[in-house]
Amino acid sequence: MTTDTRLAADFYLDQENEHAAHNYHPLEVVVERGDGAWVTDVTGRKYLDCLAAYSAVNFGHGHPVLVEAAKKQLDRITLTSRAFHNDQLGPFVTALAELAGKDMVLPMNTGAEAVESGIKVARAWGYRVKGVKPNEAKIIVADGNFHGRTTTIISFSNDEQARADFGPFTPGFVSVPYGDAAALEAAIDENTVAVLIEPIQGEAGILVPPADYLPAVREITTRHNVLFIADEIQSGLGRTGATFQCDNSDVVPDLYLLGKALGGGIVPLSAVVGNRDILGVLRPGEHGSTFGGNPLATAVGHAVVDLLATGEFQERARELGERLRLGLTLLIGKGVLAVRSAGLWAGVDIDPALATGRQVCEMLAERGVLVKDTHGSTIRFAPPIVVEPTDLDWAVEQLEAVLAELSAS
Ligand SMILES: Cc1ncc(COP(=O)(O)O)c(C=O)c1O
């Protein structure tokens, strides 16, 4: 960062430092605007956004169709609460249910709320349909999971940083190794109501399970009358070259958990999507959210579903993803230890002897590329799917240059 840039950014950094809770450690880039895959900071400097707000900006910053849907709805009505009906919710849930091949949608706001809602639905289904004894319901999750930050969700996290000093924790969860279908089956007993997993573990570093894992989870859960809940909040809605990552394994879970890109990077919008025999267990008054299903969010969400229904974004993510994978794979042995990817989503393990993930992210930011580290030495690439192929190549070149610089020092 040059001195000028530093001074212009300092104003905002100081305010955040003084008055915003320190629950994040962002890179020192103060973004002012965005267009497609690019963002501009307060000094006018441009950066290629290779994080896309953890896949919430899959369609790019300011996608004209999504912005238009939001603007149109802003002028009409933005919030009614679910005490009344609104004319956006019905069309949105109809379109999303059709896209997912399911009957019903439970709209919420954040990803964590969708996960919490999925847990409540699974427990209610367990007691009311499966016949599990009261308060005995058990949900199986996977080691290394990331499903959000609420107290119940961190109760089944293995990340000590996410849990320390936030107990006591919610009981009723059992964690088994990710990617190990036999371990999952062994953990099932008569009280098990659901298996909750990410089809790819994003925050863990884009961990892609063995090809036979999701089909095995589907087969095992069906055989034991246990719900299969796929948290597609980060992996879904185009990122991995399909509408859902489960599609890539020809697997259909009982419940999809969606969020992030569902709100087009404009509004928080999440959802649980499933069939009537499961989502239908909820009765009036048992669950809700003041903003869940609001007309502004569902107007944007409907436009998102329409974009996905064309299949264009999924195809583009597949094609560009292959280009990204090839480019990154060439860096193995030049400071990169391993690359894992699915569609336009890649985790790159940096040789810890060379630098931390954070250092690499800082050096990339200096060169105009924004990415984020996870678990010490992994960085992930998840640019908006609208990114230009040549810009993607350029980002990989910047990583190569950073690694060369580090190797030379
Ligand atoms: C797989 C997964 N589930 C849930 C969440 C939580 O979403 P939110 O931050 O919107 O609560 C995330 C966020 O990164 C996620 O990646």
Side-chain angles (χ1 to χ4, degrees):
M1 203 175 265
T2 65
T3 313
D4 282 356
T5 314
R6 186 63 235 202
L7 284 176
D10 269 353
F11 173 75
Y12 301 98
L13 297 176
D14 289 348
Q15 284 183 326
E16 275 194 37
N17 194 37
E18 199 55 27
H19 299 294
H22 291 191
N23 55 327
Y24 279 94
H25 180 34
L27 293 177
E28 293 196 342
V29 174
V30 183
V31 175
E32 188 185 76
R33 54 186 64 237
D35 182 16
W38 290 86
V39 296
T40 308
D41 77 2
V42 287
T43 70
R45 178 154 191 217
K46 286 192 182 313
Y47 300 82
L48 186 65
D49 179 1
C50 286
L51 183 66
Y54 303 95
S55 292
V57 187
N58 276 359
F59 309 100
H61 296 280
H63 190 291
V65 170
L66 304 182
V67 169
E68 182 53 30
K71 281 187 174 163
K72 209 166 125 200
Q73 193 56 35
L74 268 177
D75 286 337
R76 296 176 77 227
I77 190 162
T78 52
L79 186 60
T80 56
S81 84
R82 296 288 301 278
F84 314 115
H85 298 273
N86 70 68
D87 70 352
Q88 297 301 311
L89 177 60
F92 163 69
V93 293
T94 305
L96 180 55
E98 189 183 336
L99 182 79
K102 297 285 189 190
D103 300 332
M104 294 177 108
V105 173
L106 169 63
M108 300 300 285
N109 309 283
T110 64
E113 280 178 292
V115 175
E116 289 275 352
S117 305
I119 290 168
K120 285 175 74 176
V121 167
R123 286 178 170 181
W125 174 87
Y127 300 129
R128 294 172 189 172
V129 179
K130 182 166 175 171
V132 171
K133 286 199 214 77
N135 292 320
E136 294 291 330
K138 185 169 110 180
I139 294 178
I140 298 172
V141 298
D143 296 350
N145 68 74
F146 184 88
H147 297 284
R149 299 290 195 174
T150 65
T151 43
T152 286
I153 294 172
I154 60 161
S155 297
F156 53 85
S157 162
N158 325 107
D159 179 355
E160 264 321 297
Q161 208 189 359
R163 287 163 56 94
D165 295 335
F166 297 129
F169 299 113
T170 308
F173 300 94
V174 174
S175 191
V176 297
Y178 186 62
D180 183 343
L184 189 145
E185 179 159 22
I188 292 178
D189 64 23
E190 74 279 7
N191 294 325
T192 307
V193 297
V195 168
L196 165 63
I197 51 166
E198 298 153 84
I200 287 178
Q201 288 192 330
E203 295 305 298
I206 328 295
L207 298 191
V208 184
D212 58 358
Y213 182 59
L214 295 179
V217 173
R218 177 67 283 180
E219 189 278 317
I220 292 164
T221 49
T222 302
R223 187 154 41 80
H224 290 276
N225 192 26
V226 164
L227 301 181
F228 177 3
I229 308 177
D231 180 344
E232 295 254 17
I233 288 166
Q234 204 167 157
S235 59
L237 308 182
R239 172 58 54 194
T240 65
T243 304
F244 305 108
Q245 169 59 13
C246 283
D247 294 344
N248 286 329
S249 297
D250 284 327
V251 157
V252 179
D254 297 300
L255 294 176
Y256 290 107
L257 307 181
L258 305 176
K260 297 196 193 281
L262 193 58
I266 299 177
V267 281
L269 176 62
S270 65
V272 182
V273 185
N275 280 340
R276 197 172 317 281
D277 56 340
I278 302 165
L279 266 186
V281 297
L282 285 183
R283 299 181 289 228
E286 290 183 338
H287 190 59
S289 152
T290 304
F291 280 83
N294 73 75
L296 177 60
T298 50
V300 175
H302 194 171
V304 163
V305 171
D306 286 349
L307 288 182
L308 285 167
T310 67
E312 269 169 57
F313 284 89
Q314 295 87 324
E315 194 185 327
R316 189 176 171 91
R318 267 198 304 279
E319 285 170 13
L320 290 180
E322 186 53 15
R323 190 173 181 122
L324 178 64
R325 191 187 65 78
L326 288 172
L328 291 172
T329 306
L330 289 176
L331 304 183
I332 294 175
K334 296 183 184 173
V336 167
L337 295 181
V339 175
R340 294 168 299 277
S341 75
L344 196 50
W345 199 22
V348 180
D349 293 342
I350 304 294
D351 184 349
L354 209 55
T356 63
R358 173 81 187 189
Q359 281 168 321
V360 173
C361 290
E362 283 168 356
M363 291 173 76
L364 280 170
E366 293 277 351
R367 292 172 166 271
V369 177
L370 298 182
V371 290
K372 181 75 177 80
D373 56 303
T374 185
H375 292 280
S377 53
T378 300
I379 58 173
R380 53 235 157 120
F381 283 80
I385 299 168
V386 295
V387 67
E388 290 301 329
T390 46
D391 289 344
L392 199 57
D393 296 346
W394 175 79
V396 176
E397 281 161 31
Q398 299 317 303
L399 177 59
E400 185 170 16
V402 163
L403 295 172
E405 219 178 290
L406 284 163
S407 303
S409 66

